[in-house]
């Protein structure tokens, strides 16, 4: 293409720029001194230093790489067989199968994950790395087949026949005719499968067993405690290593040319990746030594970074056990996973409304109060909660409120009412939670109603209010309003106290208020699962987490209030006095627990969808 | 292997006719209420909007991806795998982190706005983040490589002599593209469009983060029903409708693709 090649090169260059623009930004921000801010706050290497000590993150990366490499190989072989087999079929059959191959791409990932998991549970296969790899092979097969078909459909069958006429065996035809012709499509398929596998979240979540956490599982689960620039540092590091691998394989390929060069280059590259996975998992292993194998293992299912690594190490030392942490990123995911029969987890941390559901579904084990002396040191108002008044199944762990975070530099007089979120002066500078119950809850309270109302007319009226508010709202988000507040992108944020407290640490003019009309109170609770293999150890773990000194440290770290009243006495004054972390006790009577509204959920759901589509 | 696809499919189908228990969970009594609920114009709007976003994304991916695939396929053979890797490398970073990077780029005083203002294209910063434009940018970014790879595979196979011959016969640039290159690379185009269109119609993180969750795509709706409201029957009904629509679109696409087969097709 002699003519037009300048134009082609130009567009290609632009496309590459487009691909690498955000990558440049994320590498740059791995050196950003600020934890949350989207603005630049000076250079630092601290995220790289933190990364080197984050064993859990490195282990998750190693898992991800291993799963991606193995499942890519598996899917490429199987997908290749399917694609080759299809070539021999009549055209109509091919079209039917082609349609069938597209289907798995359309099946919602949740369903794919849940049904695969049900399948493995039915077969009595313990969930772990193997099941994740199988799951990834399943969703990668259609991708590989579609890629290979793009090549095979234009392949001249006469080539293979000619080779056969010349006395080639069918293996030789495949090896020396079909394979070389397929090679570009094979690279493509391998790259697509590897990439999709590396970044998959939902199928991985459901097919993973205790101890098989991958990088995406970890990152998505950080939503509650905030995604740190450590992830950027890790990404930058992986990028540099990948680039080095590319260079290395190029270099090696120049030396010996006996093997088909292109495939070999690819092979060397993936070999490097496997080596990387190995070295990461070596770094990621806990330094407990060789006795570690024989120790009992406790499986803790929680939010990412919900407990400090040094606290876990302390428990491991004290009890001579190993603690393996797995993560989830929403209560509903936790429920779906346990309901489908996933076992092996001992202790989990569901939120209040989910504890109620889990008790109903018989997923929890009764607690042995004798083993839990620290659980009696609870704040008075948390001692008997509506979903478990005698604390037979759950121990409140962390709690807090929903309110408004605001920038006092822009809004000098402290707002005391939800109505500030309807103030046109702040158009485009307001963020709301992306959570239908919380958003409706705020409006319902401001209307003097219960946030658990099931009255269609009341919900309809609340929807009208929200429609009126929508033009003022910049974004509905439950996961990055701390960043938006810290970088001044919004000046009013409807949200949980903890993230607002995180934003305060970076922008001191941020304040938090629970409006006078009332708001949500929540509590995350420690529970022991009915299927827990280590029930006694689980009790001791819960008791340990509730130890005033340990609970106080957790509270300071996460910026959520501990349910232990002794911990409140032990935390630093700046934490205790911060209303975003420790709700003032004189405000307790304006708080309300979110409850399951039964069938009325459809009213909320429809109203929410209408709000979004307006 | 087919079992792995058929089981989820059957499950979606069966659940779509069940109903939600009072406190979540699935009650197995036959009802078509979920589908009747979906007749509300609200859901038609969501589907229509999602189809529009996904089509736009596919078209832009094609316009950006074809030249890139062409240039790679025409570069020296030993460099081709390297270029392909370079196209794919950005996607080995976590999706959430990449999306956050786009938020940094697109925000009010982000790099993008500084750039266009420095160029003097606009005087005031554009509102880019949390708009439909941002959603489409995010979707194109997310799926561009899935267009480039199949196209590369197809173009690599394209005999340059055929293109040369067309030039020699004084075909216009447009005619060369439409009548020679396009028909000959059709399998790659079909593959690429499927690999971009289907995932983008079901995406839910991009519309939430870059679109500010101010609107819903069908992927958001499905995700919302399954993992927020725990209304699996309604979620399954939505999924099934989506599957039917996508399958119909793909079938139509294949049919039109095989009808307009070029002269070189019948080997």
């Amino acid at each position: 293409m002699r003519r037009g090649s300048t134009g082609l090169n130009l567009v290609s260059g632009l496309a590459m720029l487009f691909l690498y623009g955000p990558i440049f930004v994320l590498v740059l921000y791995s050196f950003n001194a600020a934890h949350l801010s989207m603005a630049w706050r000076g250079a630092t290497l601290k995220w790289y230093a933190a990364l080197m000590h984050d064993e859990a993150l490195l282990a998750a990366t190693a898992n991800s790489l291993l799963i991606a490499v193995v499942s890519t190989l598996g899917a490429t072989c199987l997908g290749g067989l399917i694609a080759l087999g299809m070539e021999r079929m009549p055209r109509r059959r091919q079209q039917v199968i082609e349609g069938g191959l597209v289907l798995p791409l359309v099946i919602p990932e949740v369903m794919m994950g849940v049904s695969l998991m049900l399948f493995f549970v039915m077969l009595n296969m313990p969930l772990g790395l193997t099941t994740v790899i199988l799951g990834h092979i399943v969703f990668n097969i259609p991708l590989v087949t579609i890629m290979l078909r793009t090549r095979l459909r234009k392949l001249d069958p006469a080539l293979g026949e000619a080779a056969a006429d010349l006395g080639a065996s069918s293996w030789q035809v495949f090896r020396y005719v079909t394979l070389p012709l397929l090679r570009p499509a094979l690279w493509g398929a391998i790259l697509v499968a590897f990439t999709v596998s590396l970044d998959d979240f939902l199928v991985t979540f459901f097919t993973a067993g205790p101890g098989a956490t991958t990088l995406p599982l970890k990152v998505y689960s950080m939503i509650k405690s905030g995604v740190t620039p450590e992830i950027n540092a890790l990404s930058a590091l992986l990028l540099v290593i990948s680039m080095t691998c590319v260079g290395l394989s190029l270099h090696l390929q120049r030396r010996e040319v006996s093997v088909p060069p292109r495939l070999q280059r690819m092979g060397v590259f993936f070999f490097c990746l496997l080596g990387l996975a190995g070295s990461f998992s070596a770094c990621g292993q806990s330094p407990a030594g060789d006795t570690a194998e024989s120790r009992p293992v406790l499986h803790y299912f929680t939010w990412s970074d919900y407990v400090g690594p040094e606290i876990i190490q302390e428990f491991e030392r004290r009890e001579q056990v190993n603690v393996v942490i797995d993560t989830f990123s929403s209560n509903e995911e936790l429920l779906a996973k346990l309901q489908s029969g996933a076992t092996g987890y001992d202790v989990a941390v569901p939120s209040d409304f989910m504890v109620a559901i889990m008790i109903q579904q018989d997923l929890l084990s009764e607690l042995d109060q004798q083993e839990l002396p620290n659980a009696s040191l609870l704040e008075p108002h948390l001692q008997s909660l509506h979903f478990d008044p005698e604390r037979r199944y759950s121990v409140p762990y962390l709690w807090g409120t929903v309110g408004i975070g605001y920038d006092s530099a822009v809004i000098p007089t402290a707002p005391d009412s939800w109505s500030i979120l309807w103030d046109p002066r702040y158009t485009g500078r307001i963020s709301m939670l992306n959570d239908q119950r919380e958003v409706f809850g705020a409006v319902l309270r401001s209307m003097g109603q219960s946030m658990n109302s099931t009255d269609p007319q009341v919900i309809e009226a609340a929807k009208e209010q929200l429609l009126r508010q929508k033009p003022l709202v910049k974004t509905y988000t439950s996961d990055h309003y701390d960043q938006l507040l810290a970088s001044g992108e919004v000046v009013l944020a409807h949200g949980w106290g903890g993230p607002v407290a995180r934003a305060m640490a970076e922008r001191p003019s941020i304040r938090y208020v629970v409006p006078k009309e009332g708001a949500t109170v929540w509590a995350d609770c420690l529970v022991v699962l009915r299927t827990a293999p280590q029930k006694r150890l689980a009790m001791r773990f819960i008791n340990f987490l509730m130890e005033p000194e340990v609970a106080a440290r957790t509270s300071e770290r996460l910026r959520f209030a501990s349910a232990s009243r002794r911990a409140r006495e032990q935390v630093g004054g700046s934490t205790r006095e911060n209303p975003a972390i420790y709700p003032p006790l004189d405000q307790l009577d304006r708080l309300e627990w979110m409850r399951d509204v039964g069938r009325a959920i459809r009213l909320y759901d429809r109203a929410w969808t209408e709000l979004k589509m307006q | 292997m087919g079992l792995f696809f058929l089981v989820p499919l059957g499950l979606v189908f069966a659940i779509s006719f069940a109903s939600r228990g009072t406190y979540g969970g699935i009650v197995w009594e036959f009802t078509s209420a979920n589908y009747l609920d979906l007749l509300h114009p609200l859901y038609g709007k969501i589907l229509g909007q999602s189809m529009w976003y996904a089509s736009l994304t596919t078209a832009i991916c094609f316009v950006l991806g074809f030249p890139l695939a062409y240039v790679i396929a025409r570069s020296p053979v030993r460099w081709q795998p390297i270029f392909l890797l370079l196209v794919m490398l950005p996607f080995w970073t976590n999706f959430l982190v990449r999306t956050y990077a786009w938020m940094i780029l697109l925000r009010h005083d982000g790099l993008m706005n500084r750039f266009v203002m420095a160029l003097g294209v606009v005087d005031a910063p554009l509102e880019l983040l949390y708009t439909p434009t941002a959603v489409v940018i995010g979707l194109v970014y997310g799926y561009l490589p899935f267009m480039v790879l199949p196209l590369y595979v197809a173009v690599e196979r394209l005999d340059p002599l055929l293109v040369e011959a067309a030039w020699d016969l004084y075909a216009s640039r447009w005619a060369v593209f439409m009548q020679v290159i396009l028909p000959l690379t059709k399998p790659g185009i079909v593959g690429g469009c499927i690999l971009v269109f289907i995932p983008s119609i079901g995406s839910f993180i991009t519309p939430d983060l870059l679109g500010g969750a101010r609107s819903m795509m069908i992927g958001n709706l499905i995700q919302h029903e399954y993992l927020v409201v725990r209304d699996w029957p309604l979620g399954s009904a939505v999924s099934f409708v989506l599957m039917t629509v996508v399958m119909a679109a793909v079938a139509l696409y294949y049919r039109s693709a095989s009808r307009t087969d070029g002269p070189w097709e019948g080997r």
Side-chain angles (χ1 to χ4, degrees), chain A residues 243-264:
Chain A
M243 295 274 190
T244 319
C245 288
V246 173
L248 195 72
S249 51
L250 249 186
H251 180 73
L252 281 179
Q253 184 256 322
R254 230 172 258 164
R255 295 250 168 116
E256 9 168 348
V257 238
S258 51
V259 195
R262 306 177 201 172
L263 214 61
Q264 189 206 15

Side-chain angles (χ1 to χ4, degrees), chain A residues 377-384 563 565 585:
Chain A
L377 307 172
L378 292 175
E379 298 269 11
H381 65 281
L382 296 174
Q383 286 185 355
S384 177
R565 72 167 181 272
L585 293 177

Side-chain angles (χ1 to χ4, degrees), chain A residues 407-408 503-511:
Chain A
D407 192 339
S408 61
M504 280 176 196
E506 227 164 279
R507 184 182 274 251
S509 59
I510 301 289
R511 301 278 183 279

Side-chain angles (χ1 to χ4, degrees), chain A residues 16 27 31 49 51 81 99 148 269 358 374 403 457 520 547-548 573 578:
Chain A
M16 285 310 269
V27 172
F31 299 105
L51 175 66
L81 285 178
L148 292 182
F269 186 76
M358 289 171 81
N374 290 327
Q457 274 168 349
T520 319
E547 251 173 45
N578 188 339

Side-chain angles (χ1 to χ4, degrees), chain A residues 368-521:
Chain A
D368 184 354
Q369 298 297 337
Q370 302 290 319
E371 296 271 340
L372 299 169
N374 290 327
S376 58
L377 307 172
L378 292 175
E379 298 269 11
H381 65 281
L382 296 174
Q383 286 185 355
S384 177
L385 299 178
H386 69 91
F387 50 86
D388 185 16
E390 288 149 34
R391 296 203 312 275
R392 280 168 61 200
Y393 298 98
S394 61
V395 178
Y397 178 41
L398 296 165
W399 69 289
T401 55
V402 172
I404 302 172
Y406 66 97
D407 192 339
S408 61
V410 181
I411 307 166
T413 49
D416 63 347
S417 159
W418 289 112
S419 61
I420 185 91
L421 297 176
W422 274 257
D423 190 329
R425 278 178 297 172
Y426 307 114
T427 302
R429 310 191 72 183
I430 297 173
S431 83
M432 297 291 285
L433 286 175
N434 190 21
D435 180 319
Q436 60 182 22
R437 289 297 308 281
E438 289 294 351
V439 168
F440 273 90
V443 187
L444 289 169
R445 290 300 297 213
S446 74
M447 293 162 55
Q449 301 281 342
S450 158
M451 59 175 59
N452 297 308
S453 171
T454 53
D455 182 343
Q457 274 168 349
V458 171
I459 296 171
E460 185 66 19
K463 186 193 82 188
E464 293 303 324
Q465 294 278 342
L466 287 170
L467 283 173
R468 219 160 47 72
Q469 187 209 17
K470 195 178 176 191
L472 279 62
V473 176
K474 188 178 186 90
T475 173
Y476 296 89
T477 171
S478 304
D479 44 46
H480 61 278
Y481 54 94
D482 48 354
Q483 294 183 11
L484 296 176
L485 275 174
S487 45
E489 208 79 353
V490 301
V491 295
L492 284 162
H494 168 229
W496 289 282
V500 176
R502 285 205 292 271
M504 280 176 196
E506 227 164 279
R507 184 182 274 251
S509 59
I510 301 289
R511 301 278 183 279
Y512 179 80
V513 65
V514 174
K516 60 175 190 285
E517 299 96 334
T520 319
V521 56

Side-chain angles (χ1 to χ4, degrees), chain B residues 22 38 71 92 98 140 143 161 164 174-175 203 231 233 254 264:
Chain B
T22 310
L38 291 183
V71 168
W92 294 7
R98 273 184 281 137
V140 170
Y143 301 112
L161 288 177
E164 292 291 330
W174 182 246
S203 67
D231 193 339
Y254 269 127
W264 303 98

